[in-house]
Amino acid sequence: MREPRILIVSHGHPDFSLGGAEIAAHAHWAELRRRGIEAMLVSRVSKSPGHAGASFFARSADRFDVLFSPPPVNHFRHSQPHGRVVYEEFRALLDRFRPTVVHFHHYAFVGLELVREVRKYASSVPIVLTLHEFLAICNAEGQMLKTNGVLCEKASPFDCHMCFPDISPQDLFMRELFIKSFFDLVDLFVCPSEFLRDRYIAWGLPTEKMVVLENGQPRREEDVAEESSGYAQETRFVLLGQLSRLKGTLVLLDAVRLFPKRLRKLVRIEIHGSTQYAKDDFKLQFEKALNGLEDTVSFCGPYRFEDVGGIIRRSGWVIVPSIWWENSPLVIQEAFAAGRPVICSNIGGMAEKVTHGVNGVHFRVSSAADLAARMEECASNPDLWKRLCAGVPQPPTIDQTVDRLLALYARKPVAASGASSVGDGQQDREVPSLLTPPVEPIDVTP
C-alpha cells in the first residue's frame, strides 16, 4: 500500500477568515505536513487576486497550499452550478495530486458537487467530512434558530417553511434529498461534539458513519500575557471571536447595563474581534450598545491568532454568550488551554463542553439578566474562580486529533463513536475500512 496522500478542502483560509472551521482545517494540514506526510490544503477565497482565470492557484512557493476562487454557489442547495470548475479544474487537481484520502472540512461556498467528483475520480478513495455546524439541516445559515428567535429542536420541511414562507415545503424537502444524495457518498463524518452528532443522526445520517472527535488545539508560538492593570483576575472578563447577534455580543452589553453601579466600577470587560463579516444592522446596534459603557467595557478590535493565549490569560473569565446552539466553539478550547473557566449559554455544544460548577458557569440562553447575575457572582467570589480554574481540563491538541484521524484513515482501532475527546479511555472498536488499496483514477467524462 502506498504512502498516504491527503487532500484537505476548506471553505476558507485563516489568513483571510479567522473562523473556527478555517483554523481547524489549516491546523490539520499543517500537522500532517510537519510529520512529513504529503498533504495539500485547498482553501476557498472570496475574491480572486488576478490569476489568469484559473479557479485554483498556489498561494506561494509552497504548491501544497492552494487557494480556490470558485464562482458563486447556490446557497440554498450548496450547489456549484459552474460545471467547468468541478468537472475540469477540480478533476485536473485530483488527477495531478492523486490523493489516497480526501477530507472535506466544509462544502459551503465551494459546492457539494466536489464530493461526487471525488467518488467519480476513484471509487476506493475514502471521503471524510467534518461537520462544523448544521448547514445541511438548516437553511437559516445552519444555526437552527427560528426567525422568531426561538431555538429549533428538529428540522422538517413544514417547520422550515414557517421560517421561509417564500419557499414551499416541497422545495425544502427536495433540498434535503439533494444534500443527502451527496452525503450518501461520504465514508465517515467527523463530529466535534456529541450534540452535533445526535442532531445529524436524528436528521437521518447513519450512526455507524459518525465519529466524535474534537478539532484539537493548533500549534502556536508562546505568547506573553500582559499586565492586568491592577484589577483582580476574578473581576476581568473577555469575549473574543466573531462579533455578531448570533454570537450573543449584544446580550453581553445588555447585561452590563443591568450591573449595579458598584459592579460597574469593580469589573473590566474586553471585547476582541471584528465586525467585518457582520450584517450592517448589527454593526449599528453594536456601536449604539457600546455607548455609555466605556467605564466598564473596552472594545479592542481585531486580534492575531497567535495572541489569543495572552489575551485570555490576562483576564479571569471567558464569556461565550451565543444565542444559537453552537457545535464546539474553538474559544472554549482556547480558554481551557489558557487555564481559564468559561461563562456560557446553557445549551448545545457550549453546555456539553463546559460543566457547570466544575470548569465554568452556565447562564440562561439569551437572558441578559441571568448573565448579569452570574457575572456578579463570579466577580464577587475569588474562591469560586480559584476552584473552577482548578477544574479546567486540558483540551486535546492537534497532534492528538491527527493521530486519531490517521488511525481512521489507516483502518486501525479507534475510540468508539461517541467519545467526546481524545484519549478518554473508552472501549476501542474497529471502524469500517477507510483506506483501501490504491487504484488508478477512473476516467469519467462529465
Side-chain angles (χ1 to χ4, degrees):
M1 186 177 295
R2 77 192 200 210
E3 290 298 314
R5 187 180 290 124
I6 300 168
L7 176 63
I8 298 172
V9 180
S10 174
H11 72 319
H13 194 289
D15 285 355
F16 308 109
S17 176
L18 200 61
E22 295 93 325
I23 292 171
H26 187 273
H28 179 188
W29 168 75
E31 177 63 17
L32 291 171
R33 296 277 285 161
R34 188 189 70 82
R35 299 184 184 200
I37 295 173
E38 195 167 358
M40 176 182 286
L41 175 67
V42 173
S43 306
R44 171 256 179 190
V45 289
S46 58
K47 294 182 179 179
S48 165
H51 48 81
S55 295
F56 297 89
F57 50 99
R59 184 176 174 222
S60 63
D62 187 349
R63 64 187 181 92
F64 294 102
D65 188 3
V66 175
L67 298 182
F68 177 31
S69 180
V73 301
N74 178 317
H75 290 290
F76 178 63
R77 296 185 301 164
H78 303 290
S79 174
Q80 176 54 259
H82 300 270
R84 175 183 59 82
V85 173
V86 178
Y87 307 124
E88 296 180 16
E89 297 188 22
F90 182 61
R91 178 56 180 264
L93 182 145
L94 292 172
D95 287 334
R96 186 170 301 172
F97 184 60
R98 299 187 68 238
T100 60
V101 177
V102 179
H103 191 138
F104 288 89
H105 269 270
H106 228 305
Y107 49 87
F109 299 104
V110 298
L112 285 163
E113 285 79 3
L114 270 63
V115 174
R116 179 160 287 151
E117 192 61 23
V118 174
R119 182 55 65 237
K120 290 166 61 179
Y121 160 76
S123 61
S124 62
V125 169
I127 300 171
V128 180
L129 172 60
T130 295
L131 298 166
H132 288 283
E133 80 300 271
F134 311 100
L135 204 59
I137 301 174
C138 176
N139 188 48
E141 300 180 8
Q143 313 296 324
M144 297 198 74
L145 184 70
K146 296 183 179 182
T147 51
N148 62 5
V150 175
L151 287 162
C152 180
E153 299 285 346
K154 184 178 180 180
S156 72
F158 182 78
D159 288 332
C160 296
H161 170 66
M162 301 300 289
C163 285
F164 297 94
D166 293 336
I167 305 175
S168 70
Q170 291 84 356
D171 284 341
L172 289 160
F173 178 64
M174 293 304 295
R175 173 190 184 271
E176 178 181 336
L177 293 182
F178 180 83
I179 293 173
K180 285 181 174 177
S181 72
F182 293 95
F183 278 21
D184 284 345
L185 304 175
V186 174
D187 297 287
L188 186 74
F189 296 95
V190 176
C191 307
S193 70
E194 294 182 13
F195 177 80
L196 177 137
R197 176 205 59 189
D198 293 345
R199 281 292 168 100
Y200 272 99
I201 290 174
W203 188 61
L205 295 191
T207 303
E208 63 272 14
K209 285 189 176 184
M210 315 296 278
V211 171
V212 176
L213 177 62
E214 282 273 21
N215 290 318
Q217 271 286 289
R219 295 176 181 272
R220 70 181 83 192
E221 297 295 325
E222 276 298 315
D223 40 25
V224 179
E226 299 177 20
E227 294 298 323
S228 61
S229 305
Y231 286 85
Q233 289 290 91
E234 67 270 12
T235 67
R236 295 180 61 84
F237 302 83
V238 64
L239 181 149
L240 70 165
Q242 299 179 38
L243 304 181
S244 70
R245 183 183 69 86
L246 291 169
K247 290 293 183 179
T249 310
L250 300 179
V251 175
L252 171 61
L253 296 178
D254 288 343
V256 176
R257 292 192 182 280
L258 298 175
F259 285 179
K261 290 183 178 180
R262 174 192 61 81
L263 190 61
R264 288 275 293 267
K265 295 178 180 179
L266 176 67
V267 307
R268 289 300 303 170
I269 300 168
E270 291 184 359
I271 296 178
H272 294 261
S274 172
T275 60
Q276 178 181 358
Y277 299 106
K279 296 180 180 179
D280 290 340
D281 59 343
F282 169 79
K283 294 177 183 179
L284 294 174
Q285 292 170 342
F286 179 59
E287 292 177 6
K288 183 178 179 180
L290 282 172
N291 288 336
L293 301 182
E294 295 83 358
D295 59 335
T296 305
V297 180
S298 299
F299 175 45
C300 304
Y303 57 92
R304 300 186 309 158
F305 177 66
E306 53 266 36
D307 293 334
V308 168
I311 291 171
I312 292 176
R313 282 194 293 271
R314 72 166 176 254
S315 294
W317 306 86
V318 175
I319 303 177
V320 186
S322 296
I323 66 173
W324 73 286
W325 300 104
E326 291 281 6
N327 166 26
S328 179
L330 178 62
V331 68
I332 292 178
Q333 283 194 19
E334 292 167 338
F336 287 167
R340 294 295 183 262
V342 173
I343 302 173
C344 69
S345 303
N346 63 341
I347 58 169
M350 296 171 287
E352 176 184 329
K353 303 301 177 180
V354 177
T355 304
H356 181 71
V358 176
N359 50 44
V361 174
H362 295 173
F363 72 93
R364 191 166 65 254
V365 61
S366 299
S367 173
D370 198 40
L371 175 57
R374 299 289 77 74
M375 291 177 70
E376 181 174 11
E377 176 188 1
C378 293
S380 306
N381 191 340
D383 290 337
L384 174 65
W385 180 74
K386 292 176 183 176
R387 176 167 61 82
L388 297 185
C389 283
V392 167
Q394 275 301 304
T397 61
I398 187 59
D399 57 315
Q400 290 174 304
T401 296
V402 168
D403 282 344
R404 284 283 307 278
L405 288 172
L406 290 174
L408 289 167
Y409 299 158
R411 196 172 44 170
K412 294 177 182 177
V414 297
S417 177
S420 59
S421 62
V422 173
D424 58 8
Q426 295 196 30
Q427 183 66 39
D428 284 355
R429 69 177 177 88
E430 191 80 19
V431 299
S433 171
L434 284 183
L435 190 60
T436 53
V439 298
E440 290 304 309
I442 300 173
D443 185 13
V444 178
T445 55

